[in-house]
Amino acid sequence: MTHAPAREPHSARRHDREILALAVPAFGALVAEPLFLMADSAIVGHLGTPQLAGLGVAAALLTTAVSVFVFLAYATTAAVSRRVGAGDLPAAIRQGMDGIWLALILGAAVTIAVLATAPALVDLFGASPTAAPYATTYLRISALGIPPMLVVLAATGVLRGLQDTKTPLYVAIGGFAANAGLNLVLVYGAGLGIAGSAWGTVLAQCAMAAAYLAVVVRGARRHGASLRPDTAGIRACAQAGVPLLVRTLSLRAVLMIATAVAARLGDTEVAAHQIVLTLWSLLAFALDAIAIAGQAIIGRYLGSGDAEGARAACRRMVQWGIASGVVLGALVVAARPLFIPLFTADPAVRDALLPALLVVAVGQPIAGIVFILDGVLMGAGDGSYLAWAMLLVLAVFAPVALLVPSLGGGLTALWWAMTLMMTVRMATLWMRARSGRWIVTGAVRA
């Protein structure tokens, strides 16, 4: 029989150590992930414009197909960390294996669907006649990498739940290096063109999944946890993931609506919008790293029955979120003369970009609170509330954003609408956090 670890006195310094130990490696892993696409783009870009355009379409489809299943990481982190808090490592790893089996099942289903509909999907995204063949080729080959990509998500959740964010960092760095090397060899050395880029990425993804599985399997054998698929456990993982899937789809809808509105404003505005959105996403990595730490820490405290520890950790992480948001906002304002020229030389785009960036800077403290509380409630397994709250946010944002063009607003008005969206998110999450209803202790959230 296992026992929960002895509790230490709660202090800001103790929570700071916990947050830093988990958040810093998590940030490194988050930043490493987009480097896959950057490496592919840099290598494929030298093949020609149609190839690069085809990669852009295929990558957008693949990113969408995989990102909707990010709940595999979030739900697994929450469930595993609760078991860790309760002192039951065999059950924690068993819970993680259920998530990995679910990832394999979902990955196989998505791969089959993508392979069967690849040309139609490429046409749906409006690829040009010259880019479409390259997009279809890349998409069909890369679809084979979807199961390992989803396994990586689930296994990352397992390790985060086990309070280990260093291993995902090492695997992400190794995966990036392997991806870049394989792409160069297969694209140019073997002369496979864009197909070589796709195969290189698939092989790197398979290697990453294998590395994660080796770590999880070793832990399972050490603690006597079964590796066999368990129907009830897989079903429970899927049920826990459904609310987070709704939340993720609602958030994706917000971003799609924002891009669609920017496109209606004109070419200059949509070009500037993409730059702002890229920067906004980059800033989100820093805040999301603290949120990931929150998922793991909150789950562990609740699993050990330490409600006061969970409350104290939540308060401290919110302080971190606000401080990080203020710092990031100040950096955006101070560094704008440096990074704006990196993105565009068009004076019209720069003119549209500058005021929108200032709006993003103002909203960073709000974003800090949103990301942290989102992570806290995920760690608590409060997925149902997150789903309903995000649907409410979407219902508020959609009409406001769609009114921007008809009321004569420009890109700055659209980003004020995005800030309103984040403010509504903050309000819904803050009310839940203050209510204390998310605090449900025990190895399993009842």
Side-chain angles (χ1 to χ4, degrees):
M1 182 176 177
T2 55
H3 300 278
R7 298 179 187 172
E8 300 177 32
H10 299 298
S11 68
R13 183 174 297 177
R14 176 195 170 191
H15 290 308
D16 289 346
R17 288 198 306 269
E18 290 179 329
I19 294 166
L20 281 171
L22 293 171
V24 172
F27 175 70
L30 288 170
V31 171
E33 290 173 12
L35 295 179
F36 267 84
L37 181 56
M38 289 177 63
D40 286 0
S41 299
I43 293 168
V44 171
H46 291 285
L47 294 174
T49 300
Q51 289 90 333
L52 184 58
L55 171 65
V57 171
L61 285 163
L62 287 166
T63 301
T64 301
V66 174
S67 64
V68 297
F69 295 109
V70 72
F71 71 82
L72 289 166
Y74 295 158
T76 305
T77 298
V80 171
S81 60
R82 275 184 176 269
R83 298 283 192 178
V84 169
D88 193 348
L89 283 176
I93 296 172
R94 172 66 263 176
Q95 188 95 45
M97 283 305 306
D98 292 336
I100 290 172
W101 280 112
L102 176 62
L104 284 169
I105 294 169
L106 292 173
V110 175
T111 295
I112 292 169
V114 172
L115 287 174
T117 61
L121 290 171
V122 168
D123 288 341
L124 184 64
F125 263 59
S128 68
T130 54
Y134 297 110
T136 302
T137 297
Y138 191 94
L139 184 59
R140 279 181 165 155
I141 297 171
S142 295
L144 301 176
I146 291 175
M149 289 169 75
L150 297 192
V151 167
V152 166
L153 282 177
T156 300
V158 176
L159 295 180
R160 288 173 181 170
L162 293 171
Q163 317 296 296
D164 175 10
T165 56
K166 290 182 179 178
T167 300
L169 172 61
Y170 300 147
V171 174
I173 293 172
F176 168 70
N179 179 62
L182 286 166
N183 270 256
L184 285 170
V185 170
L186 295 175
V187 172
Y188 298 116
L192 296 179
I194 195 169
S197 176
W199 280 116
T201 301
V202 168
L203 290 172
Q205 289 160 347
C206 288
M208 291 175 67
Y212 274 118
L213 288 174
V215 173
V216 175
V217 168
R218 185 167 64 245
R221 288 176 176 168
R222 185 186 307 125
H223 296 285
S226 173
L227 297 172
R228 295 179 179 179
D230 176 67
T231 303
I234 294 171
R235 187 184 305 115
C237 286
Q239 290 172 344
V242 168
L244 294 180
L245 176 61
V246 172
R247 167 207 168 270
T248 300
L249 289 174
S250 300
L251 182 55
R252 295 290 300 183
V254 164
L255 299 178
M256 289 174 65
I257 289 170
T259 300
V261 170
R264 290 173 60 188
L265 295 174
D267 290 348
T268 297
E269 285 74 11
V270 75
H273 173 75
Q274 286 304 117
I275 296 171
V276 178
L277 189 60
T278 299
L279 179 65
W280 189 76
S281 300
L282 179 63
L283 296 171
F285 285 134
L287 300 174
D288 204 26
I290 307 173
I292 286 169
Q295 293 173 31
I297 292 169
I298 293 297
R300 191 187 78 234
Y301 275 125
L302 294 178
S304 69
D306 190 353
E308 181 51 42
R311 288 191 186 92
C314 175
R315 287 193 298 268
R316 189 59 177 171
M317 281 183 285
V318 168
Q319 293 170 359
W320 271 72
I322 295 171
S324 299
V326 170
V327 171
L328 290 173
L331 283 174
V332 170
V333 174
R336 69 190 189 281
L338 299 176
F339 63 75
I340 287 179
L342 296 177
F343 286 102
T344 180
D346 187 330
V349 174
R350 290 186 181 186
D351 289 344
L353 188 59
L354 183 56
L357 282 176
L358 295 178
V359 174
V360 169
V362 169
Q364 284 308 294
I366 296 172
I369 297 172
V370 167
F371 275 82
I372 300 310
L373 292 181
D374 208 38
V376 165
L377 297 186
M378 283 184 191
D382 202 10
S384 295
Y385 182 83
L386 289 172
W388 285 110
M390 198 61 220
L391 285 171
L392 172 63
V393 170
L394 176 60
V396 172
F397 171 76
V400 173
L402 293 173
L403 280 173
V404 168
S406 59
L407 295 178
L411 185 64
T412 304
L414 175 60
W415 275 93
W416 277 120
M418 288 286 285
T419 304
L420 170 66
M421 178 272 294
M422 293 296 286
T423 303
V424 175
R425 283 187 75 187
M426 181 182 68
T428 60
L429 297 172
W430 186 270
M431 287 189 293
R432 187 65 167 183
R434 288 294 299 272
S435 74
R437 293 177 184 174
W438 56 278
I439 300 176
V440 179
T441 58
V444 179
R445 184 182 174 94

